[in-house]
Amino acid sequence: MSAEISRTVSSDDIDQFASAVGDFNPIHVDEEWAQQTRFKGRIAHGMLTGGLISSVLGTRLPGLGTVYVRQTLEFHAPVRPGTVVNSRVCITRLDPTRNRVYLDTTCICEGTTVLSGEAVLLVKSRARPI
């Protein structure tokens, strides 16, 4: 089973994320400064992109009531303001004895994988709640 969402990451999203977590690294919030870097402009925080994976997990698959146990993230390419990010999760393994689900996680922008990893979640059992 798999699920995905698409979202355009805006400059406002990046600014609000910076405010929420206190990460005002100029690579994210200062276009003029970021122009001087190898990225030639602002890029989204990696964890903002990772948060889009959380959105899929919490709302689509496995869905409401799931709890993160672990997430690995590997960042492959930057996400720029105005870019559409397609976040996808795919179940790779179930562990019903521990109420765990394992998923491959990816974010793709314009055909390029920008993030990959694995998530492990605690899920509700029909026999017992979380």
Side-chain angles (χ1 to χ4, degrees), residues 2-127:
S2 64
E4 67 182 74
I5 61 162
S6 293
R7 179 181 173 94
T8 301
V9 174
S10 69
S11 291
D12 285 344
D13 292 332
I14 295 168
D15 293 340
Q16 290 174 15
F17 187 87
S19 291
V21 301
D23 180 355
F24 295 99
N25 181 334
I27 193 70
H28 306 303
V29 298
D30 185 336
E31 180 63 34
E32 186 176 316
W33 189 94
Q35 282 292 330
Q36 307 306 310
T37 70
R38 69 185 205 158
F39 299 110
K40 304 295 183 209
R42 289 175 70 183
I43 60 173
H45 300 74
M47 295 310 292
L48 171 58
T49 306
L52 299 176
I53 294 292
S54 178
S55 178
V56 182
L57 296 171
T59 65
R60 304 274 169 89
L61 181 72
L64 303 176
T66 61
V67 176
Y68 253 123
V69 174
R70 180 175 63 241
Q71 172 78 57
T72 62
L73 298 173
E74 219 175 303
F75 302 100
H76 305 286
V79 173
R80 301 184 182 287
T83 303
V84 176
V85 179
N86 295 306
S87 302
R88 180 179 172 85
V89 303
C90 181
I91 294 175
T92 58
R93 183 165 61 103
L94 299 172
D95 182 351
T97 61
R98 298 182 64 217
N99 290 355
R100 300 284 197 272
V101 61
Y102 296 75
L103 306 99
D104 278 336
T105 59
T106 56
C107 290
I108 299 170
C109 297
E110 301 171 348
T112 299
T113 299
V114 297
L115 178 152
S116 64
E118 180 189 54
V120 179
L121 291 107
L122 177 63
V123 294
K124 292 191 288 186
S125 165
R126 291 186 179 144

